[in-house]
Amino acid sequence: MKRYPALLIALHWLTALAVVIAYASSGNPAESHDLFDALIGQVHVISGLAVFALVALRLPARLLLGTPAALPAPRWQARLARAAHIALYALMLLVPLAGWAALADETATFTLAGGIALPLPDAHASWVEWLGETHETLGNAFIWLAGLHALAALVHHSLLRDSTLLRMLPLKALAR
């Protein structure tokens, strides 16, 4: 069994963690009414930025390091898996961009923890309003697709008894 390169495995699980944190802290970071809301908003924005940054690292790493050959599967299954992966990557880039646009549409400035001002796009640009309005919908679509992705990995492991999941586990000991 050929595993994914260690860097890709690490980036995969770090991205998954950032996605879970972003989803768990979702809300409106621009409308923070108390310290707790402000903290949750900060966590949401920072984890969304982390998703974008991790995927921006993952894509070139994937091209440079390569991935193991796909396991034998029916043509429809291979095509569906490829389409799902393309959609997951696209959404991991698009959802944070939509969140960035949503922030610009709702507030003139947003300061990250530590006093770093997040540059925002021009809120008057028509694409900013449109993209910002899609953030929640795109985020929900991503969560559903990521859930199906995880379910498919579990089906491969438990029902089909192949090594699909084992090739992406973070520790070799877990993959045995």
Side-chain angles (χ1 to χ4, degrees), residues 4-171:
Y4 280 83
L7 178 62
L8 292 181
I9 292 171
L11 290 172
H12 175 273
W13 292 104
L14 286 171
T15 304
L17 178 62
V19 165
V20 168
I21 293 169
Y23 183 73
S25 62
S26 60
N28 188 341
E31 292 182 11
S32 301
H33 301 295
D34 60 28
L35 185 58
F36 181 75
D37 286 344
L39 177 62
I40 295 299
Q42 288 286 319
V43 168
H44 182 72
V45 172
I46 290 168
S47 57
L49 291 171
V51 169
F52 187 87
L54 287 164
V55 172
L57 290 171
R58 255 174 97 172
L59 288 171
R62 188 177 163 100
L63 291 173
L64 289 171
L65 299 174
T67 60
L71 296 175
R75 177 181 258 168
W76 68 267
Q77 194 176 52
R79 286 184 176 174
L80 186 60
R82 179 150 172 76
H85 278 98
I86 289 169
L88 283 166
Y89 276 104
L91 286 167
M92 285 187 286
L93 293 172
L94 195 54
V95 172
L97 286 174
W100 180 59
L103 270 179
D105 196 38
E106 295 171 8
T107 185
T109 60
F110 189 84
T111 305
L112 296 168
I116 301 167
L118 181 66
L120 298 174
D122 178 8
H124 301 296
S126 58
W127 69 269
V128 172
E129 184 178 345
W130 175 83
L131 188 58
E133 289 173 359
T134 67
H135 178 62
E136 185 176 352
T137 302
L138 290 172
N140 287 333
F142 173 74
I143 290 300
W144 277 100
L145 186 57
L148 290 172
H149 172 70
L151 180 62
L154 292 172
V155 165
H156 275 276
H157 185 72
S158 299
L159 299 177
L160 301 177
R161 302 212 182 268
D162 66 24
S163 62
T164 298
L165 175 62
L166 300 178
R167 299 181 330 158
M168 187 52 86
L169 286 180
L171 302 174

